[in-house]
Amino acid sequence: MTEATTEFFPGFGGAQLALHRLGQGRPVVLLHGLFSSAEVNWIKFGTAARLAEEGFECLMPDLRVHGKSAAPHEPEAYPQDVLVRDLEALVAHLGLADFDLVGFSLGSRTSARAVVAGLKPRRLVLGGMGLEGLAGWARRQDFFIDVIDRFGTIRPGDPAYLSQQFLKSMGVDREAARLLLGTMADTDPAELGAISMPTLVLCGDKDDDNGSAQRLAEVLPDASLVLIPGTHMSSVTVPEMGREIAAFLSR
């Protein structure tokens, strides 16, 4: 298996965003989670390699403010749903007409909102996401803003400690991250009817960080729920992640 290659494309406002590619075949766009990167969520633990082996071309952007992508500090670089705009820019840049879309956590949120806004992947995977993570995002947003505001002072035992340590290990630009968090709005469950394509809700069996995955699967028009081992942080590290995504997209 060849290693992933990296290139750059212009996102909203011309921001230079990194795109990692692996494999050849049917295109699948994979969006990583908050404070993470394509490398950590998709490449490091073999999920992208598994998909490439199954005949997919993995297209893995680093979201704005993450990984190797730009992290501007100007407020005008962060309109409402800027990550959806960046995804739309990627699809247009690559000329994608027939593709699959996979998200994890923030990537799932972005994917769902992009479909509600009119994006039409053939199949959709929402990983690490429950209904409340879409409909009740404001609570999670407040949690992460608190992590940023108290960064460096949060001690072990505090519910925010692990998020602080992950933020630190990933070297995220906290000023830009705070601006990005302000671009994300709640999604009315009534809007989820627009997600009409076959959808896999894929979640760790000990992951309730974003609410109930089962409730999310129940409100979507054509969804199935699969649980894999792990918590929100560990589920991206297990081979079942790549195996279940590949099986669903290969149908």
Side-chain angles (χ1 to χ4, degrees), residues 8-249:
F8 292 85
F9 70 98
F12 170 79
Q16 288 297 100
L17 305 181
L19 173 65
H20 310 277
R21 293 180 184 246
L22 183 67
Q24 293 182 332
R26 177 175 183 79
V28 53
V29 177
L30 299 107
L31 304 183
H32 63 75
L34 184 65
F35 302 154
S36 191
S37 66
E39 167 66 30
V40 170
N41 270 181
W42 307 124
I43 300 171
K44 182 177 181 180
F45 300 103
T47 295
R50 176 62 184 263
L51 289 171
E53 289 169 3
E54 297 289 338
F56 292 92
E57 181 186 16
C58 298
L59 303 167
M60 303 168 284
D62 283 334
L63 302 179
R64 177 179 300 246
V65 189
H66 296 77
K68 296 181 178 180
S69 287
H73 285 183
E74 297 79 17
E76 58 268 24
Y78 298 91
Q80 189 80 9
D81 275 328
V82 67
L83 296 183
V84 172
R85 298 191 187 198
D86 286 339
L87 175 57
E88 292 168 343
L90 174 63
V91 170
H93 173 74
L94 297 176
L96 296 178
D98 184 23
F99 65 98
D100 298 313
L101 181 59
V102 175
F104 181 79
S105 196
L106 175 58
S108 290
R109 218 182 153 282
T110 303
S111 297
R113 290 189 65 80
V115 171
V116 169
L119 200 66
K120 297 188 182 301
R122 181 190 68 114
R123 285 177 175 256
L124 176 66
V125 179
L126 301 177
M129 182 54 61
L131 180 61
E132 293 78 6
L134 296 176
W137 168 252
R139 178 183 61 84
R140 291 290 284 165
Q141 174 181 285
D142 290 346
F143 171 83
F144 289 120
I145 288 175
D146 176 64
V147 172
I148 291 170
D149 289 348
R150 294 196 292 132
F151 186 84
T153 69
I154 304 169
R155 298 292 175 240
D158 189 307
Y161 180 74
L162 289 179
S163 293
Q164 172 189 260
Q165 298 309 102
F166 188 59
L167 188 68
K168 183 183 297 184
S169 70
M170 295 300 294
V172 174
D173 183 316
R174 298 194 299 280
E175 181 177 346
R178 206 178 196 288
L179 288 167
L180 181 64
L181 286 167
T183 70
M184 305 172 195
D186 284 346
T187 304
D188 187 332
E191 294 181 290
L192 298 179
I195 303 177
S196 58
M197 66 284 300
T199 301
L200 173 64
V201 177
L202 183 63
C203 198
D205 57 3
K206 297 179 179 63
D207 178 8
D208 60 0
D209 280 25
N210 283 308
S212 170
Q214 181 169 339
R215 288 188 64 200
L216 176 58
E218 288 171 352
V219 303
L220 295 175
D222 185 9
S224 55
L225 171 66
V226 171
L227 298 180
I228 60 176
T231 63
H232 194 67
M233 294 292 285
S234 69
S235 59
V236 298
T237 72
V238 300
E240 288 87 348
M241 174 69 78
R243 185 183 73 202
E244 294 295 345
I245 294 173
F248 175 72
L249 297 184

